[in-house]
Amino acid sequence: MGIPVKLQNFEGPLDLLLHLIDKNKVNIYDIPIAEITDQYMEYLHHMEKHDLNMMSEFLVMAATLLDIKARMLLPQEETEEETEDPRADLVEQLLEYKMYKFMSYELRNRQKEAELSMFKKPTIPKEVLEYKTPVDTEDLLEGVTLAKLHQIFQSIIRRQESRMDPIRSQFGKIEKEEISLDERIEDVFAYVSEKRKCSFRGLLQKKRGKMQVIVTFLAILELMKMGKISVMQEKTFEDIIIEAKEETRGEELGNQKNAGSY
């Protein structure tokens, strides 16, 4: 009959390895892998609880330790380049786990300190909270007359007027212009067909609004796209000449006669 041995519970294989390193008082950067692996395997043989999820993690680490042990026992090839230490990845994992473990201890200590603190809700009476210092109007209005109040009011008005832009203040109310692009296309095409040739500036003689100019320009682009007019400009920044094409001009004049416009 075997003697039962009570083993310390570890949170995972890295926790067990750190325990073995501290127990043997070895340098974490120079782990005696053969000795640590033997102790690790001995711990696995004495585990009383056989949780499959927990055991799988310990077995994976055991396989990793055996692989490192086997690679370290193999003879090293003599090359100019330095071979990588098989323990490097394991040391990096142990250092990272150790850092997070110490951080968890720090958080746990802070939580225990916070449990010792007590907070008291404010118990100020309602009457004290609602109390307001009375204002002595006699001292505030001492020496103030209607004439002085009028002077103060006038100075404030002048100050506000000086902040206003004298040009923009004359613009008045800005209203949105409602212009239909389809209607503008028909109007432009009728005008160009009647005149046969006209300038863009002459087309805008009665169209002063910015929105009307924009919609007129869009209408010209649409008519060019439909092939009903042609546009030319001899020099840069000169007026744009718009001319109706013969076939489309004939159709428009025919439509106007049928509609009884002339």
Side-chain angles (χ1 to χ4, degrees), residues 14 28-29 87-98:
L14 292 175
I28 194 172
Y29 294 99
R87 302 169 295 180
D89 292 339
L90 179 61
V91 171
E92 185 176 352
Q93 293 180 28
L94 288 171
L95 291 174
E96 186 174 2
Y97 177 78
K98 190 174 183 180

Side-chain angles (χ1 to χ4, degrees), residues 170-221:
Q170 304 298 325
F171 286 170
K173 185 178 180 181
I174 301 176
E175 297 182 357
K176 183 179 179 181
E177 296 180 285
E178 298 292 340
I179 303 174
S180 172
L181 178 60
D182 294 335
E183 294 179 359
R184 191 60 187 144
I185 291 174
E186 294 179 0
D187 294 342
V188 171
F189 183 55
Y191 181 84
V192 175
S193 298
E194 181 182 356
K195 300 293 183 180
R196 187 175 180 181
K197 182 186 292 187
C198 66
S199 65
F200 183 67
R201 187 172 300 172
L203 190 63
L204 297 175
Q205 286 181 354
K206 297 181 180 180
K207 308 297 180 183
R208 298 297 183 184
K210 183 183 295 185
M211 185 59 64
Q212 291 179 342
V213 175
I214 294 173
V215 175
T216 301
F217 186 73
L218 293 176
I220 292 173
L221 294 178

Side-chain angles (χ1 to χ4, degrees), residues 66 72 165 260:
L66 292 173
M72 294 188 68
D165 190 338

Side-chain angles (χ1 to χ4, degrees), residues 24-25 36 73 107 122 140 142 160 166 172 174 204 209 243 252:
N24 292 277
K25 297 181 180 180
I36 295 298
L73 292 176
L107 293 175
L140 292 176
E142 184 178 359
Q160 291 296 114
I174 301 176
L204 297 175
E243 185 176 1
E252 178 63 21

Side-chain angles (χ1 to χ4, degrees), residues 4-242:
V5 180
K6 185 176 181 182
L7 300 174
Q8 181 180 353
N9 293 327
F10 297 97
E11 296 179 0
L14 292 175
D15 195 23
L16 172 58
L17 285 177
L18 284 177
H19 169 72
L20 295 176
I21 290 172
D22 293 339
K23 180 181 177 182
N24 292 277
K25 297 181 180 180
V26 295
N27 187 0
I28 194 172
Y29 294 99
D30 188 17
I31 302 173
I33 201 68
E35 181 181 354
I36 295 298
T37 301
D38 293 339
Q39 294 180 12
Y40 185 89
M41 297 303 297
E42 183 180 357
Y43 172 82
L44 292 186
H45 290 309
H46 289 86
M47 287 185 70
E48 296 178 354
K49 296 182 180 180
H50 298 283
D51 184 1
L52 294 179
N53 294 328
M54 184 65 68
M55 282 296 297
S56 63
E57 296 179 4
F58 281 91
L59 291 175
V60 170
M61 181 57 69
T64 303
L65 291 173
L66 292 173
D67 178 66
I68 296 174
K69 181 179 179 182
R71 283 190 289 167
M72 294 188 68
L73 292 176
L74 292 175
Q76 301 291 334
E77 297 181 0
E78 295 183 0
T79 57
E80 295 181 359
E81 298 181 359
E82 295 183 359
T83 57
E84 184 180 357
D85 192 343
R87 302 169 295 180
D89 292 339
L90 179 61
V91 171
E92 185 176 352
Q93 293 180 28
L94 288 171
L95 291 174
E96 186 174 2
Y97 177 78
K98 190 174 183 180
M99 178 184 66
Y100 283 109
K101 189 174 181 179
F102 286 160
M103 289 173 60
S104 66
Y105 290 160
E106 181 68 22
L107 293 175
R108 183 185 62 185
N109 294 335
R110 291 191 180 188
Q111 182 180 6
K112 289 183 178 180
E113 292 177 0
E115 292 175 354
L116 301 176
S117 302
M118 298 182 65
F119 298 91
K120 176 179 175 296
K121 294 183 179 181
T123 55
I124 302 176
K126 182 179 179 181
E127 293 78 6
V128 176
L129 290 174
E130 295 178 352
Y131 175 78
K132 296 181 180 179
T133 306
V135 179
D136 191 353
T137 56
E138 293 183 359
D139 293 340
L140 292 176
L141 299 177
E142 184 178 359
V144 177
T145 61
L146 291 176
K148 289 185 177 181
L149 289 175
H150 181 70
Q151 291 177 359
I152 296 172
F153 176 76
Q154 292 296 330
S155 64
I156 294 174
I157 295 298
R158 284 193 297 271
R159 195 179 305 167
Q160 291 296 114
E161 290 179 351
S162 62
R163 292 180 181 178
M164 295 176 61
D165 190 338
I167 298 177
R168 295 183 181 180
S169 61
Q170 304 298 325
F171 286 170
K173 185 178 180 181
I174 301 176
E175 297 182 357
K176 183 179 179 181
E177 296 180 285
E178 298 292 340
I179 303 174
S180 172
L181 178 60
D182 294 335
E183 294 179 359
R184 191 60 187 144
I185 291 174
E186 294 179 0
D187 294 342
V188 171
F189 183 55
Y191 181 84
V192 175
S193 298
E194 181 182 356
K195 300 293 183 180
R196 187 175 180 181
K197 182 186 292 187
C198 66
S199 65
F200 183 67
R201 187 172 300 172
L203 190 63
L204 297 175
Q205 286 181 354
K206 297 181 180 180
K207 308 297 180 183
R208 298 297 183 184
K210 183 183 295 185
M211 185 59 64
Q212 291 179 342
V213 175
I214 294 173
V215 175
T216 301
F217 186 73
L218 293 176
I220 292 173
L221 294 178
E222 287 295 326
L223 289 171
M224 289 174 59
K225 184 178 179 182
M226 290 186 289
K228 293 185 176 183
I229 62 173
S230 60
V231 176
M232 63 180 178
Q233 186 182 34
E234 294 182 357
K235 295 182 181 180
T236 308
F237 303 116
E238 283 192 356
D239 202 356
I240 301 172
I241 304 301
I242 307 168

